[in-house]
Amino acid sequence: MNTILQQSFSVSFQYPVCFTEDLFSFANTQFVDVLEKGKLVKTYFVIDSGVSEAFPDLISKIKSYATHFKDRFFLCAEPLIVPGGEVCKNDPKVYHQVVEATHEFGIDRHSYIVAIGGGAVLDMVGFAAAISHRGIRLVRVPTTVLSQNDSGVGVKNSINYFGKKNYLGTFTTPVAVLNDFNFLKTLDDRDWRAGIAEALKVALIKDLSFFEWLEKEASALSKREMEPMKAQIIRCAQMHMDHIAGKDPFEFGSSRPLDFGHWAAHKLEHLSQYRVRHGEAVAIGIALDSCYSHLLGWISREDLDRVFGVIRTLGFSLYEPELSGENLIQGLREFQEHLGGKLTIMLLEKLGKGVEVHEMDETLIRSAIQLLEEENRTAKNH
Amino acid sequence: MNTILQQSFSVSFQYPVCFTEDLFSFANTQFVDVLEKGKLVKTYFVIDSGVSEAFPDLISKIKSYATHFKDRFFLCAEPLIVPGGEVCKNDPKVYHQVVEATHEFGIDRHSYIVAIGGGAVLDMVGFAAAISHRGIRLVRVPTTVLSQNDSGVGVKNSINYFGKKNYLGTFTTPVAVLNDFNFLKTLDDRDWRAGIAEALKVALIKDLSFFEWLEKEASALSKREMEPMKAQIIRCAQMHMDHIAGKDPFEFGSSRPLDFGHWAAHKLEHLSQYRVRHGEAVAIGIALDSCYSHLLGWISREDLDRVFGVIRTLGFSLYEPELSGENLIQGLREFQEHLGGKLTIMLLEKLGKGVEVHEMDETLIRSAIQLLEEENRTAKNH
């Protein structure tokens, strides 16, 4: 009586993640190399206000580059400048401005939106591009450490909604990711440092040798030496890409094993009204879940101190006042909802090896928070 | 100097498309069979007002069914009734209501939204589900011929925006499609007929034997005989699914070869302010592009008359006043933009075989429209 037809297909996704310098100099063909060949393509640039302020000649460089390669692409309108940071994800008017531009300028599925900025701008522009015409091609140009080594190389986009981080979004691959190291030079120290937290995260749960490398280079990184920074970014980006490609790129399951330290980080960012930046919050989240792993008896006090040592040498704080009280625990419940009912949290079995758990003890979380608070106070007194 | 990491992965997508009757009777396990096993899952129902009016006991049947299978799933809130037809896609408040419900009722990525209705409601709910939490599981229960044999079994969702059809949307697979033939019984004659246009479409471009079958059954179909209707739906759905699975499911290229007759149909719907329903517009679009194919010398006048014959026997009109003037031609340009610059239109090389072209002659389109208008007038006078 019943008939069942089974639909089944696979879709292949590919994109290059390039690391370069001076992306829009005439000698650099990375940008035009990722555009569709054999036609003149329409492009629309959306630029993080932080970037356009730090690089006042950026737009004129892009226009000169477009003129130089005028047989390959053109700008269909003046670049759109959008506020950088979480504010562009918090205010739906900003993403809507990008959607409106696609309508106004006839930007279609074979045109390219080029997003230049930090992770928040890339997320927001990516969401607008993903839903307009069911998906306009996106080139991401991440300009911060955090977006170059982590968020910018992945498959997610989003805006915040209902006061919840990343509430609306999709999984959509970019056409290409073009990481230009020159953009890092003008970052303030906080942003320079913040992205390194993601490298520490993957190192701690996946790769002891990378953790040891970070231990060795932490001081040079904190002094803004460029060569270890580049090495860190490329290695971290590769690990992040391998993770995405390896298993469940669009997260149909409930496991998100690269999210070490992130349940607390998301909530802390929100509680501090984004005074604490994502990478800073991740560093604290890593410290917290490392403490928790230690209190469970999984990593030794010596190992925990090594983790604290890297975090401190990089210049991060171990504690923020928003960790106290019940608000953070509430974040754990929200994270559970976001994951789909079944909680999955990454903890440390040992340095370089994460392990998933499906519950966390609230009393133990409070003890871990207390340990961090003491550690932070002690450090300040020295 | 430059480093390029190449990201590459494949994602597998599967979903069953079931054909059944009396979906929410206790003996029917199709619904619970498609839910995740081994846990009690949260569901949220969104129902087309046309369906809830035609089946006043539907909600109580669903609730009884949920009680009967209370170890498998529960309703997290009262079902949401939304307006049926294009109005639900035209007014962004409607999709936003679904998004708000996901927030209010804690509907997460492992919960299920169940959309019961015609193609417009499925599109709109699908869009809300696809972007909330980056994708909530969706079960589609198409209730019209059109949605059961075509739109409901595919991978697209959307809402209309800026006065443009399907401007915002994504490609997202459902968890399952459950086609219940009982819903067809209360359709008015126009909706019963409208969906058959999609079968005529695929038959004409892909399968002469299916066209001949439709010629033979057109009269029975127009008399609302259920057995040929079921056969038509299953065959058409299968062809549609094969097309999606066969090549470019997410339409990264510019080819959409199943869109025979659709460029004019989309514009006609819009010009008539949706007085002309999608299937009715598709029938006219098929007639128009068949005429155009004939005027190009590709199909004979006899074959064109066979196409007209099926369209008429099914009860469709061949012409609507909105076809006159320049508005329709404008629709061709909009379709080109939607496709991404390069126009791709399916025409008939012969009955049962479509062929793609990349330009259409506007003078010839006007001649085809005139031919349709005369044909329609002649038919009325007989």
Side-chain angles (χ1 to χ4, degrees):
Chain A
M1 189 65 207
N2 293 329
T3 300
I4 301 181
L5 307 177
Q6 191 65 40
Q7 179 64 302
S8 177
F9 57 82
S10 283
V11 179
S12 293
F13 300 90
Q14 276 102 23
Y15 58 92
V17 177
C18 312
F19 300 87
T20 188
E21 287 176 55
D22 212 359
L23 184 62
F24 297 109
S25 65
F26 296 170
N28 195 327
T29 62
Q30 298 262 328
F31 182 78
V32 290
D33 288 348
V34 302
L35 303 177
E36 191 179 338
K37 305 286 183 291
K39 61 181 273 199
L40 177 64
V41 304
K42 182 187 273 196
T43 66
Y44 182 65
F45 282 70
V46 185
I47 303 176
D48 190 318
S49 61
V51 177
S52 65
E53 282 156 24
F55 298 89
D57 64 342
L58 177 63
I59 291 176
S60 68
K61 279 196 82 166
I62 291 170
K63 287 180 179 174
S64 301
Y65 189 82
T67 305
H68 189 74
F69 290 103
K70 65 177 183 298
D71 54 331
R72 298 298 316 284
F73 78 102
F74 68 101
L75 276 63
C76 67
E78 274 296 302
L80 174 69
I81 311 295
V82 292
E86 286 293 318
V87 63
C88 79
K89 293 174 68 173
N90 284 332
D91 180 358
K93 282 201 285 293
V94 185
Y95 101 89
H96 198 263
Q97 226 182 330
V98 180
V99 171
E100 273 175 342
T102 69
H103 166 60
E104 185 176 351
F105 305 120
I107 297 163
D108 59 38
R109 284 172 60 74
H110 293 256
S111 306
Y112 292 74
I113 294 180
V114 185
I116 303 179
V121 167
L122 302 181
D123 276 355
M124 177 279 292
V125 178
F127 179 61
I131 64 171
S132 301
H133 287 301
R134 293 201 185 98
I136 294 168
R137 295 173 179 182
L138 177 72
V139 175
R140 292 201 203 114
V141 182
T143 58
T144 60
V145 177
L146 184 59
S147 53
Q148 292 193 354
N149 73 0
D150 186 274
S151 64
V153 307
V155 296
K156 299 186 195 178
N157 59 58
S158 59
I159 59 169
N160 305 329
Y161 215 66
F162 304 124
K164 289 180 179 171
K165 194 166 164 78
N166 301 335
Y167 196 88
L168 298 182
T170 71
F171 291 90
T172 303
T173 53
V175 164
V177 182
L178 304 175
N179 285 317
D180 181 343
F181 292 128
N182 279 1
F183 284 118
L184 308 182
K185 291 177 181 166
T186 60
L187 292 178
D188 69 28
D189 285 348
R190 284 180 68 188
D191 281 331
W192 170 277
R193 176 190 307 127
I196 308 172
E198 302 290 348
L200 180 60
K201 172 195 76 175
V202 288
L204 277 170
I205 61 177
K206 289 214 169 190
D207 187 343
L208 178 61
S209 73
F210 190 24
F211 174 75
E212 287 169 342
W213 183 90
L214 283 168
E215 252 182 331
K216 187 165 64 71
E217 300 290 345
S219 174
L221 285 165
S222 77
K223 289 177 192 131
R224 301 194 64 139
E225 288 182 19
M226 194 49 112
E227 289 311 312
M229 180 54 100
K230 290 183 191 174
Q232 173 274 116
I233 287 174
I234 295 173
R235 191 164 178 176
C236 185
Q238 180 73 69
M239 288 180 76
H240 194 67
M241 289 165 65
D242 289 347
H243 173 73
I244 291 169
K247 190 182 144 192
D248 199 13
F250 297 159
E251 298 180 9
F252 296 134
S254 52
S255 150
R256 313 204 305 173
L258 275 190
D259 269 358
F260 178 53
H262 273 58
W263 72 268
H266 284 164
K267 191 65 189 178
L268 177 56
E269 275 179 276
H270 184 66
L271 288 174
S272 75
Q273 297 179 299
Y274 300 94
R275 182 194 78 250
V276 181
R277 297 182 192 174
H278 181 67
E280 295 168 343
V282 168
I284 289 172
I286 289 170
L288 178 64
D289 286 348
S290 298
C291 274
Y292 188 94
S293 302
H294 166 64
L295 293 174
L296 279 176
W298 293 0
I299 67 168
S300 66
R301 180 69 212 205
E302 290 69 29
D303 284 344
L304 180 61
D305 285 334
R306 287 176 70 186
V307 176
F308 287 163
V310 176
I311 292 175
R312 279 195 187 112
T313 305
L314 289 169
F316 289 113
S317 169
L318 286 171
Y319 181 83
E320 293 293 338
E322 287 84 356
L323 292 179
S324 68
E326 284 307 296
N327 288 331
L328 198 76
I329 307 284
Q330 177 58 29
L332 192 65
R333 293 182 204 120
E334 286 170 16
F335 191 65
Q336 181 164 8
E337 180 200 314
H338 186 67
L339 288 183
K342 189 183 181 191
L343 186 66
T344 301
I345 294 281
M346 179 67 78
L347 294 176
L348 293 184
E349 190 179 299
K350 56 184 181 181
L351 298 187
K353 187 160 192 313
V355 64
E356 285 179 8
V357 299
H358 300 292
E359 55 184 350
M360 286 186 83
D361 182 90
E362 299 192 358
T363 310
L364 222 51
I365 294 175
R366 287 187 198 94
S367 304
I369 291 172
Q370 198 183 339
L371 200 156
L372 280 189
E373 196 267 332
E374 286 160 12
E375 191 67 25
N376 197 58
R377 198 155 13 94
T378 315
K380 278 196 181 145
N381 294 341
H382 280 295
Chain B
M1 189 66 207
N2 293 328
T3 301
I4 300 181
L5 307 177
Q6 190 66 40
Q7 179 63 302
S8 177
F9 56 83
S10 283
V11 179
S12 294
F13 299 90
Q14 277 103 22
Y15 57 93
V17 177
C18 312
F19 301 87
T20 188
E21 287 177 55
D22 212 1
L23 183 61
F24 298 109
S25 65
F26 296 170
N28 196 328
T29 60
Q30 299 261 327
F31 181 79
V32 289
D33 287 349
V34 301
L35 303 177
E36 191 178 337
K37 305 284 183 293
K39 61 181 272 198
L40 177 65
V41 304
K42 182 187 275 197
T43 67
Y44 182 65
F45 283 70
V46 184
I47 303 176
D48 190 318
S49 60
V51 177
S52 64
E53 282 156 25
F55 297 88
D57 64 340
L58 177 63
I59 291 176
S60 67
K61 279 195 82 165
I62 291 169
K63 288 180 178 173
S64 301
Y65 190 81
T67 305
H68 188 74
F69 290 101
K70 64 178 185 299
D71 55 330
R72 298 298 315 285
F73 78 102
F74 68 100
L75 277 62
C76 68
E78 273 298 301
L80 174 68
I81 311 294
V82 294
E86 286 292 317
V87 63
C88 79
K89 293 174 67 173
N90 283 333
D91 180 358
K93 281 201 285 294
V94 185
Y95 102 89
H96 198 264
Q97 226 182 329
V98 180
V99 172
E100 273 175 341
T102 67
H103 167 59
E104 185 176 351
F105 304 121
I107 296 163
D108 58 39
R109 283 172 59 75
H110 293 256
S111 306
Y112 292 75
I113 293 181
V114 185
I116 303 179
V121 167
L122 302 181
D123 275 356
M124 177 279 292
V125 178
F127 179 60
I131 63 171
S132 301
H133 287 300
R134 295 202 186 97
I136 293 168
R137 295 174 180 182
L138 177 71
V139 175
R140 292 202 202 112
V141 182
T143 59
T144 60
V145 178
L146 184 60
S147 53
Q148 291 194 354
N149 74 358
D150 187 274
S151 63
V153 307
V155 296
K156 300 185 194 178
N157 58 58
S158 59
I159 60 169
N160 306 330
Y161 215 66
F162 305 123
K164 289 181 180 170
K165 195 165 163 80
N166 300 333
Y167 196 87
L168 298 183
T170 71
F171 292 90
T172 304
T173 53
V175 165
V177 182
L178 304 174
N179 286 317
D180 181 342
F181 292 127
N182 280 0
F183 284 119
L184 308 181
K185 291 177 181 165
T186 60
L187 293 178
D188 69 28
D189 286 346
R190 285 180 69 188
D191 280 331
W192 170 275
R193 175 190 307 127
I196 308 174
E198 301 290 349
L200 180 60
K201 173 194 75 174
V202 288
L204 276 171
I205 61 176
K206 289 216 170 189
D207 188 345
L208 178 61
S209 74
F210 190 24
F211 175 74
E212 288 169 341
W213 182 90
L214 283 168
E215 251 182 333
K216 187 166 65 69
E217 300 290 344
S219 174
L221 285 165
S222 78
K223 288 177 192 131
R224 302 194 64 139
E225 287 182 20
M226 194 51 112
E227 289 312 312
M229 180 54 100
K230 290 183 191 173
Q232 175 272 116
I233 287 174
I234 294 173
R235 191 163 176 177
C236 185
Q238 179 73 68
M239 289 179 75
H240 194 69
M241 289 164 65
D242 288 348
H243 173 73
I244 292 169
K247 190 183 145 193
D248 200 13
F250 297 159
E251 298 180 10
F252 295 134
S254 52
S255 151
R256 312 203 305 172
L258 275 190
D259 269 357
F260 180 52
H262 273 57
W263 72 268
H266 284 164
K267 190 66 189 178
L268 177 56
E269 276 179 275
H270 184 65
L271 288 174
S272 75
Q273 296 177 298
Y274 301 94
R275 182 195 78 250
V276 181
R277 297 182 191 173
H278 180 68
E280 295 168 342
V282 168
I284 290 172
I286 289 171
L288 179 65
D289 285 349
S290 298
C291 273
Y292 188 95
S293 303
H294 167 64
L295 294 174
L296 279 177
W298 293 359
I299 67 167
S300 67
R301 179 68 212 207
E302 290 68 31
D303 283 346
L304 179 62
D305 284 336
R306 287 175 72 184
V307 176
F308 286 164
V310 176
I311 293 175
R312 279 197 187 112
T313 305
L314 289 170
F316 288 113
S317 170
L318 286 171
Y319 183 82
E320 293 292 338
E322 286 84 356
L323 291 179
S324 68
E326 283 308 295
N327 288 331
L328 198 76
I329 308 284
Q330 178 58 30
L332 191 66
R333 294 182 203 117
E334 285 169 17
F335 191 64
Q336 181 164 8
E337 179 200 314
H338 186 68
L339 288 183
K342 187 182 182 191
L343 186 66
T344 300
I345 294 282
M346 178 69 77
L347 294 175
L348 292 186
E349 190 180 298
K350 57 183 181 181
L351 298 186
K353 187 160 192 312
V355 63
E356 285 179 9
V357 299
H358 300 293
E359 55 184 349
M360 285 185 86
D361 181 272
E362 298 192 359
T363 310
L364 223 51
I365 294 175
R366 286 187 198 96
S367 304
I369 291 171
Q370 198 183 337
L371 200 157
L372 280 189
E373 195 265 333
E374 286 160 13
E375 191 67 25
N376 196 57
R377 195 150 22 89
T378 315
K380 276 194 181 146
N381 294 341
H382 281 294

